[in-house]
Amino acid sequence: MQLLIMGAPGAGKGTQAAKLAAKYNLVHVSTGDIFRSLNEMTDLGQQVRRFMKAGKLIPDDLTNRLVEERLECNDCMDNGWILDGYPRNVEQAQNLDVFTNIIRRQLTCVLNIHVPAEKLIERAIGRRICKNCGATYHVKFNPSKVADVCDSCGGQLYQRADDTAETMKNRLSVYEKNTRPLIDYYKQAGIYAEIDGTQTIDKVTEALFNVLSSVKA
Ligand code: ADP
Ligand code: AMP
């Protein structure tokens, strides 16, 4: 199964993609995580961080190449994958269509988590991530048992450099202009489902599992 999870920044894509990956034994491919893992001591790592800090999209040629390299790996080819944060514009979606046709791994379903804009800033600003295992928390909606310590591995939690009110304004306007048009793109492809992301994390997971239970692998 090849899934795509969509939604505005802070909608809950990463949180839910981790749960879907565990349930269906899929590889979780997050472009944001790929970019954050680039070595910050290199020119490329520094350039990418500048785009991210400003809330801008990384250029398509680099983004498409990194995704293709990842999807061609054996774990993705053998198990299937869930894409999180890619594509983010129509050009990337077209590129993905061409690429998935070539590797014969077309998208099975596109899941869009819908959350109104006014809730997204609070979600992003309160987000905390484990430095060690990448688990995601929220200071109010999904707090760790001990402040700043990961429940699963004991790692230290940190706040992303782009999870500020100022950068979020740019990220949300980039989403409106570039990413929202993908909703129509995938509706036309007939593989689109929308989920109410304002519910609790567990309820959103349940809704996603329900959608997927009726989708053929
Ligand atoms: P995205 O990957 O879409 O940017 P995340 O999954 O990282 O979003 O979630 C953003 C923040 O909101 C995190 O701190 C997460 O714990 C929290 N969050 C995710 N889903 C929900 C939800 N349904 N209700 C409240 N908070 C949520
Ligand atoms: P995310 O972790 O998905 O919130 O992404 C964080 C940042 O990484 C974005 O604001 C962009 O700067 C960059 N990014 C992630 N995915 C993409 C993509 N598909 N295309 C371009 N830039 C991306």
Side-chain angles (χ1 to χ4, degrees), residues 122-171:
E122 185 183 16
R123 287 213 187 163
I125 290 175
R127 169 163 45 197
R128 297 292 181 274
I129 297 171
C130 175
K131 268 187 185 156
N132 183 45
C133 73
T136 301
Y137 297 86
H138 190 282
V139 289
K140 185 165 155 193
F141 303 127
N142 183 26
S144 55
K145 292 194 182 83
V146 178
D148 297 326
V149 177
C150 179
D151 293 349
S152 333
C153 75
Q156 202 191 336
L157 305 188
Y158 77 101
Q159 185 173 21
R160 276 168 46 174
D162 58 347
D163 277 343
T164 62
E166 202 189 328
T167 304
M168 265 304 273
K169 271 189 213 147
N170 293 339
R171 291 164 65 197

Side-chain angles (χ1 to χ4, degrees), residues 1 4-5 67:
M1 189 154 66
L4 164 54
I5 194 153
V67 170

Side-chain angles (χ1 to χ4, degrees), residues 59 83 93 135 158 180 198:
L83 270 175
Y158 77 101
R180 189 184 282 282
T198 62

